[in-house]
Amino acid sequence: MLFLTRLYHTCHSHADKIALEFIEPGQSRPLSYGQLEAAVQQTMAYLQLLGVEPGDRVALQLAKGLPFILLHLATMRLGAVSLPLNPAYPPGELTYFLSDSAAKLFFCEAGAAARLNPADLPELAQTVLVDSAAPPEFAALTNSAAPAAAPPPLPGDPDRTALMIYTSGTTGRPKGAEITHGNLTANLDALHAAWGWQPDDILLHVLPIFHVHGLVVALHGALHAAATALLLPGFEAGATLAALVNRRCTVFMGVPTIHTRLVQFPGAAEFDLSHMRLLTSGSDRLPDDIFFKFRELFGHTLLERYGMTETGMNLSNPLHGERRVGSVGLPLPGVEARVVDPETETELPDGQVGEVQIRGPHVFKGYWRQPDKTAAAFTAAGWLRTGDLGLRSADGYFTLKGRSKDLIISGGLNIYPPEVELVLAEHPAVAASAVIGCPDSEWGERVTAVIVLKPGGAPAAGEIIRYCRDRLAGYKTPKTVIFVESLPRNALGKVQKAELRAALCGS
Ligand code: MCA
């Protein structure tokens, strides 16, 4: 049964159960499954009033709150495509996403709209301002539509795109990954079985909801199980530990930076998490010392798993059985995974490092209006080339060993160096640049810009950082700038980043 169909039935069978509860300083706003369905239906009527039709893209650049979730679910229920966008994207990046996707509607925070120049949004039919901090105002907005006598039929085509999330690439601009209703459902069913989701689970949700991790794995995961999701607006270690204990949460999902901050929180060991049943880690490799420290402090072995925007979750350590340090575990139910020689694409024997390739019903449909890039992402036999390097051990556990792509992961977020290098290239004092990730105990990797200046140019590192900050989302902005006389290049003129990392990352 498709995810939205199952959710529809849950909203009737568990009408009085709390589906979502927003916990913010000084207030708590619970919403039952019955109320969720009523609000989604009203939001559908509102979107229809605005002219949304099946297939339309509806862009959501909203804070983590009820308006986002209602618009997201209502959009997908209408057969349209939900397009979540990071609220941190500055206008320049945003304009690209809106025009590339040809979004019909763009929902953005009232406070952020002043930064946008309508002339930059030529293809945009309509911008709707929302104050996510004031859900009653959003309810008043959606109530402007007469409620439908009967809700439109649930989307029944598993191959219809439900969700589009932009991912960057090593070349060119970011691409919209089209994720279908069938993809979402296949992955949720697999996670449901593998992680033992139950209706009495209480998830503490601290992640952003514009990525697959926070939106699909965590939020959809809880809804798929008729469980309760308690949502904090963001992650803060003290508030998270207090909520895990006080609200008797059973499930928690984080990225390594989050787990690092939890174990480093003063007095962390005094928080008794013994009632919890599942704490997961993903989006980046979990450092071994944090794996062990977490177990020592909290008595829980983090369950590490591996996924990507294009697929959702692929591999996971087991709920029952060995959770192996440094490993991302075994293929989830219905997922095929193999390791191939990147040159010949023939399968490698266990223990040898090659490219990890994935196949299964959870794998995305393709990149929006990019047939060439879609074709390049798959082998003839339908395996997705992940660009991640890894090996499979004789007992089937996978271990990741790096990336074949030029990619930095910081705090669980992917940053493609060319995007930052393009911005740096426009700075009047920069002759050449190379952006690398240096190991960092908190972020995993730290975005570091290595810059050759033009003769006479002498900007301070802080000025370069501010320049990037105005043009890029905060997490992509270099945290360190290093000026050099020249960049090491090979015979073809390509910058040798491994050499730069070896020479500069310690400094
Ligand atoms: C915030 N900053 C960052 C990051 N986050 N810099 C580098 N990397 C980051 N991830 C910047 C802020 O813009 C700010 O800069 C400065 O760092 C300090 O921010 P701080 O308040 O400390 O950050 P935070 O708000 O506490 O956020 C840290 C965080 C967050 C909680 C680790 O980044 C986070 O929630 N990460 C999870 C990401 C995630 O869900 N990834 C899943 C995608 P300034 O002061 O200049 O503004 S991958 C995925 O979905 C696949 C499918 C998968 O497998 O999971």
Side-chain angles (χ1 to χ4, degrees), residues 169-446:
T170 43
T171 54
R173 306 294 302 262
K175 313 178 284 285
E178 290 192 58
I179 300 159
T180 66
H181 290 268
N183 296 151
L184 289 176
T185 306
N187 211 224
L188 287 168
D189 286 346
L191 289 175
H192 201 78
W195 292 354
W197 274 106
Q198 297 296 330
D200 59 3
D201 271 327
I202 302 175
L203 166 80
L204 182 65
H205 192 301
V206 302
L207 293 164
I209 50 176
F210 46 83
H211 281 300
V212 163
H213 193 169
L215 183 64
V216 177
V217 188
L219 182 65
H220 290 184
L223 296 176
H224 202 60
T228 295
L230 305 183
L231 296 107
L232 284 168
F235 170 74
E236 194 277 311
T240 297
L241 287 168
L244 289 173
V245 174
N246 298 336
R247 302 301 306 266
R248 307 286 298 169
C249 297
T250 60
V251 180
F252 180 73
M253 298 180 188
V255 300
T257 301
I258 286 178
H259 297 307
T260 302
R261 290 187 187 175
L262 287 177
V263 299
Q264 288 171 351
F265 187 72
E270 285 152 33
F271 291 86
D272 178 3
L273 306 186
S274 55
H275 60 282
M276 294 193 68
R277 70 164 195 88
L278 176 63
L279 296 104
T280 70
S281 183
S283 309
D284 193 7
R285 192 188 177 290
L286 182 68
D288 292 359
D289 60 327
I290 302 300
F291 176 94
F292 290 117
K293 187 84 186 154
F294 202 96
R295 183 149 76 187
E296 185 190 314
L297 276 177
F298 300 118
H300 283 284
T301 305
L302 287 168
L303 179 149
E304 193 172 356
R305 58 40 170 205
Y306 162 69
M308 53 196 294
T309 300
E310 287 87 339
T311 60
M313 300 301 98
N314 298 311
L315 306 165
S316 171
N317 275 280
L319 184 64
H320 307 292
E322 186 197 357
R323 296 185 194 169
R324 189 170 295 172
V325 64
S327 165
V328 288
L330 308 147
L332 283 162
V335 173
E336 291 178 271
R338 66 177 192 174
V339 176
V340 301
D341 180 322
E343 299 300 319
T344 61
E345 292 203 318
T346 50
E347 203 165 341
L348 289 170
D350 289 340
Q352 284 193 28
V353 176
E355 183 183 49
V356 177
Q357 297 192 339
I358 299 291
R359 196 164 65 174
H362 65 306
V363 177
F364 80 137
K365 179 158 130 182
Y367 295 113
W368 167 252
R369 291 184 178 166
Q370 301 257 25
D372 294 350
K373 289 194 169 145
T374 301
F378 291 95
T379 70
W383 292 91
L384 178 73
R385 304 181 167 111
T386 65
D388 287 311
L389 302 175
L391 60 81
R392 180 175 51 205
S393 61
D395 58 0
Y397 279 69
F398 283 72
T399 302
L400 299 182
K401 292 284 180 192
R403 297 177 284 267
S404 60
K405 294 178 189 164
D406 185 15
L407 163 72
I408 298 169
I409 305 183
S410 168
L413 295 173
N414 290 359
I415 297 143
Y416 289 82
E419 278 187 66
V420 186
E421 288 158 3
L422 278 175
V423 167
L424 286 168
E426 283 165 17
H427 189 286
V430 172
S433 75
V435 171
I436 55 174
C438 286
D440 185 273
S441 59
E442 182 183 6
W443 297 106
E445 286 182 299
R446 182 180 186 83

